[in-house]
Amino acid sequence: MYDCVIIGGGPGGVTAAIYAIRSGMKTVVVEKIGVGGQIALSDIIENYPGFPSISGLELMSHFENHAKGIGVEFVSADITGIEVDGDKRILKTAGENIETKTVVICSGAEAKKLGFAGEEEFIGRGVSTCATCDGPFYRNKAVAVIGGGDTAVKESIYLSKIASKVYHVHRRDRFRAEKVLQDRIVTKDNIEFVWKHTTEEALGDVSGVTGLRVKSVDTGETRDLDVDGVFVFVGITPNTAFVDCDKDEQGFIVVNENMETSIPGVYAAGDCRVTPLRQVVTAVGDAAIAAFKAEEYVSELEGRAYDKVGAQGVTLK
Ligand code: NAP
């Protein structure tokens, strides 16, 4: 039985593992695909202290090397449920279940869908939620980007270096992205802002997307943008369906300041939890607290077991 199982191998998960193993807990990180998480898809990170400019992939390779260098074990599995059996937390998988005393959930979040006509139909054939994965297919072609948060603005800037033209569609007339990104995007000559427009439909044929129909919020008039690709960045949805604990209406896990969920011995950190800020730096801070509190929990359990043995008159070591 493990002392601590960490679900997710993004920045939060790897940090929790580093803290957990250093505190002497028998620890494993369970990850669906590979170490890195969503941030590994980010072309550039400029707000993680110590690294003025680094790709997500490179930053995560530093995290991974650090963890593996001190003996953190990573296994590949898809957790489908968490059951409580006394002091045991049983993680359900398609294969063997995993037993542990504590769990730190760092399962992150994934891109939300917008729900316009053609979005599902053209996923992988012109509609995408990952600029670093699919951007290179649109070299010298026109693309549309939808959304006004950090992700949309960052990815629009990235795509402007590959595509001949980027139509940046947003439902309001201002971005919510951080100021430094707003200042940067307006310097890009090949980005045309399509303010106060909603998305109606991805147009296309058997070859894939050939256009995007957008609609003015003010006049209701529609306009067809001549694009080959549509990138949707309208927020995130948490990967938390496998755990039955207190969550908000969108599924983000509710924790207290100790990162404790409503299930004793189960903690949550990073993007999957209710939090005012989702950054690498906040995920790693959350994760350090979660692992620290998990270790305290395990120590208390062990203390309890020790007391029980003592009470039964067994010689104590
Ligand atoms: P976000 O901040 O939630 O922004 C979502 C954007 O999509 C908003 O501009 C929103 O418009 C728009 N939107 C939502 N629903 C829509 C709809 N139905 N129709 C049209 N537009 C819609 O999401 P995010 O950009 O993916 O960021 C998620 C989290 O990760 C945030 O906490 C963000 O700060 C963080 N992040 C940070 C960085 C970084 O480098 N610092 C990079 C990426 C992400 P409104 O503005 O009108 O609401």
Side-chain angles (χ1 to χ4, degrees):
M1 171 140 88
Y2 286 100
D3 292 318
C4 185
V5 174
I6 292 147
I7 302 175
V14 178
T15 304
I18 290 170
Y19 276 74
I21 207 153
R22 282 170 58 84
S23 70
M25 288 197 283
K26 187 177 177 206
T27 302
V28 68
V29 179
V30 183
E31 168 63 45
K32 244 196 257 189
I33 305 166
V35 183
Q38 275 230 314
I39 198 68
L41 302 175
S42 193
D43 77 312
I44 188 156
I45 296 159
E46 296 174 313
N47 54 8
Y48 191 70
F51 297 93
S53 179
I54 188 167
S55 76
L57 203 58
E58 195 186 346
L59 182 64
M60 287 318 298
S61 76
H62 288 301
F63 273 57
E64 183 177 2
N65 292 340
H66 183 168
K68 287 188 171 162
I70 58 170
V72 172
E73 181 195 355
F74 291 85
V75 299
S76 186
D78 187 4
I79 305 294
T80 54
I82 300 180
E83 276 179 15
V84 175
D85 177 10
D87 289 341
K88 249 191 297 188
R89 306 288 169 263
I90 303 165
L91 306 186
K92 302 289 202 183
T93 78
E96 276 189 23
N97 294 337
I98 303 169
E99 294 188 356
T100 178
K101 293 172 188 162
T102 65
V103 182
V104 180
I105 301 171
C106 303
S107 50
E110 60 190 51
K112 244 190 213 167
K113 294 202 173 69
L114 191 46
F116 55 86
E119 184 180 25
E120 290 282 352
E121 183 189 343
F122 290 112
I123 272 280
R125 295 194 302 129
V127 173
S128 170
T129 54
C130 178
T132 36
C133 320
D134 299 327
F137 296 125
Y138 301 97
R139 189 162 297 284
N140 301 324
K141 293 180 175 176
V143 298
V145 167
I146 307 165
D150 285 338
T151 309
V153 173
K154 265 183 101 166
E155 302 304 305
S156 193
I157 294 167
Y158 170 75
L159 286 165
S160 73
K161 295 177 222 159
I162 300 170
S164 55
K165 168 135 193 156
V166 177
Y167 291 95
H168 195 126
V169 182
H170 185 35
R171 64 181 174 183
R172 293 190 293 138
D173 61 357
R174 69 181 58 179
F175 290 131
R176 68 168 61 230
E178 63 177 334
K179 177 83 168 51
V180 65
L181 294 173
Q182 294 192 33
D183 290 346
R184 197 172 300 161
I185 196 171
V186 295
T187 67
K188 302 293 171 191
D189 293 337
N190 62 341
I191 299 182
E192 179 180 327
F193 298 102
V194 185
W195 299 114
K196 296 180 85 176
H197 277 72
T198 54
T199 303
E200 289 280 287
E201 183 178 359
L203 309 168
D205 53 32
V206 282
S207 69
V209 165
T210 56
L212 183 70
R213 182 162 298 157
V214 294
K215 185 173 159 190
S216 164
V217 173
D218 289 332
T219 65
E221 269 174 46
T222 59
R223 173 181 172 192
D224 290 350
L225 307 174
D226 191 8
V227 294
D228 295 297
V230 176
F231 289 83
V232 184
F233 304 113
V234 292
I236 52 174
T237 188
N239 299 317
T240 56
F242 60 87
V243 57
D244 194 10
C245 62
D246 286 354
K247 298 175 196 169
D248 73 2
E249 66 288 348
Q250 295 176 72
F252 291 97
I253 297 172
V254 175
V255 294
N256 62 15
E257 63 184 17
N258 293 329
M259 305 302 143
E260 290 163 329
T261 70
S262 56
I263 307 174
V266 178
Y267 305 79
D271 285 5
C272 68
R273 80 164 180 103
V274 175
T275 173
L277 188 62
R278 294 193 170 85
Q279 307 278 304
V280 178
V281 79
T282 51
V284 303
D286 286 0
I289 295 170
F292 175 73
K293 285 290 163 186
E295 194 280 328
E296 272 187 5
Y297 182 91
V298 169
S299 291
E300 273 171 32
L301 280 186
E302 285 169 357
R304 225 162 58 215
Y306 183 84
D307 286 343
K308 270 186 213 157
V309 173
Q312 285 159 11
V314 176
T315 310
L316 300 175
K317 288 184 187 156

